[in-house]
Amino acid sequence: MSAKEQRRQKKIAKKRSKDLIKKRAAAREKNVMQSFTGQVQAASGGAIERCLISESLLDPDEKFGSVLISRKLPDGRIAFVRYLVDAMCLGVKDADASVCFPGNLSDMLEQMSKVELLQDANPAAARKLVESAVAYAKKFGFQPHALYEKTAPLWNGVDAADCLTEFEFGKDGKPHFISGPHDSAEVIADSVSKLDQSVGEGNYEFTIDQGGGVDEGDLEHSEDFSPLIDDRELDVDIDEDVPQI
């Protein structure tokens, strides 16, 4: 083989190698985007579409409700997480997350509005509230729902330190465990035991709730929503800070 032909063969091999690298990279990206974790990561750099908080969570007598944040994926879909926050004791008690089209999220929020009242929230304040509730609950041995860590990238670029509000947790300086209507006797006993071990008898309150209000049973768990043809643009005012609870 002549030197000229050898050079030509090397160029062909180099080009094939580059094409193969590009194909493998595209395949990896496609595989990542087929997983919820990959979609959340992709959405972490997108614009915040919604940041909402339940009015009941801001009520000093309730301190229980939802925090929702959603961000836009490059393909126009929305990745969102809704945390069910118990600011009295348990932190992020439950969570629901999914990827859907904007119109589907609007429909879901309309359904949620029948159960709880939601208001626009400053993302920094919402993140600080959620993270502070988690930190408060951990002092008593309560860990957040598994989706809390998995959906953390949705807060990327949001600095909780930008919120100057200091949130208060518990009631009258004590954690107050309130059981949900779907909590089993074992869950209740374990929760009371954690409080006994962490703060001691007499240093916390507990209430057995027989039903009513917002609870984890109201969450629609993660399944993709089918697209809607008609969609409205999401226009959210996120300049106002969340009031102290």
Side-chain angles (χ1 to χ4, degrees):
M1 182 184 298
S2 66
K4 183 177 180 181
E5 180 62 18
Q6 286 181 344
R7 288 193 297 270
R8 191 180 74 83
Q9 292 293 335
K10 285 181 179 180
K11 287 181 179 180
I12 293 174
K14 188 175 182 180
K15 183 179 183 303
R16 287 176 178 174
S17 178
K18 288 182 178 179
D19 290 343
L20 182 59
I21 290 173
K22 289 180 180 179
K23 288 180 180 179
R24 286 176 175 173
R28 282 195 297 269
E29 183 177 352
K30 182 178 179 180
N31 288 337
V32 167
M33 287 302 294
Q34 288 177 343
S35 71
F36 180 71
T37 300
Q39 291 169 340
V40 167
Q41 191 60 51
S44 68
I48 294 176
E49 292 287 332
R50 304 253 186 177
C51 188
L52 304 170
I53 190 168
S54 171
E55 289 187 3
S56 61
L57 185 53
L58 304 175
D59 186 330
D61 293 323
E62 292 189 48
K63 296 184 181 179
F64 188 88
S66 300
V67 173
L68 180 144
I69 184 170
S70 64
R71 301 186 85 139
K72 192 173 181 179
L73 282 157
D75 63 7
R77 291 181 299 159
I78 301 294
F80 77 87
V81 60
R82 173 195 175 195
Y83 302 109
L84 186 62
V85 180
D86 174 6
M88 287 287 194
C89 181
L90 301 176
V92 174
K93 184 176 183 180
D94 205 345
D96 180 47
S98 191
V99 173
C100 64
F101 286 87
N104 299 107
L105 179 58
S106 295
D107 287 346
M108 189 197 81
L109 292 174
E110 185 176 344
Q111 292 300 313
M112 285 177 61
S113 68
K114 299 176 182 178
V115 181
E116 57 181 328
L117 297 176
L118 298 168
Q119 65 182 51
D120 297 336
N122 180 289
R127 180 174 188 173
K128 183 175 181 178
L129 174 57
V130 172
E131 291 181 345
S132 298
V134 168
Y136 181 75
K138 283 184 176 181
K139 294 193 295 184
F140 315 121
F142 298 107
Q143 298 299 317
H145 189 275
L147 281 175
Y148 174 72
E149 295 294 343
K150 292 180 180 179
T151 56
L154 291 179
W155 294 109
N156 281 1
V158 177
D159 191 351
D162 290 339
C163 172
L164 302 180
T165 301
E166 292 301 324
F167 299 106
E168 296 178 0
F169 300 92
K171 190 169 185 178
D172 299 327
K174 299 178 182 179
H176 185 175
F177 169 72
I178 302 174
S179 70
H182 300 286
D183 286 344
S184 66
E186 290 77 11
V187 168
I188 294 172
D190 179 65
S191 299
V192 172
S193 176
K194 282 184 170 70
L195 290 167
D196 276 335
Q197 294 175 22
S198 58
V199 297
E201 187 176 352
N203 295 313
Y204 65 90
E205 301 291 338
F206 74 93
T207 302
I208 306 300
D209 186 6
Q210 298 301 322
V214 182
D215 65 81
E216 59 271 29
D218 294 317
L219 295 178
E220 297 180 43
H221 292 285
S222 339
E223 292 182 0
D224 286 351
F225 295 86
S226 59
L228 295 181
I229 296 176
D230 293 326
D231 182 30
R232 56 181 178 273
E233 185 174 351
L234 302 177
D235 184 15
V236 180
D237 179 7
I238 58 174
D239 293 331
E240 295 296 322
D241 207 347
V242 176
Q244 183 171 341
I245 61 175

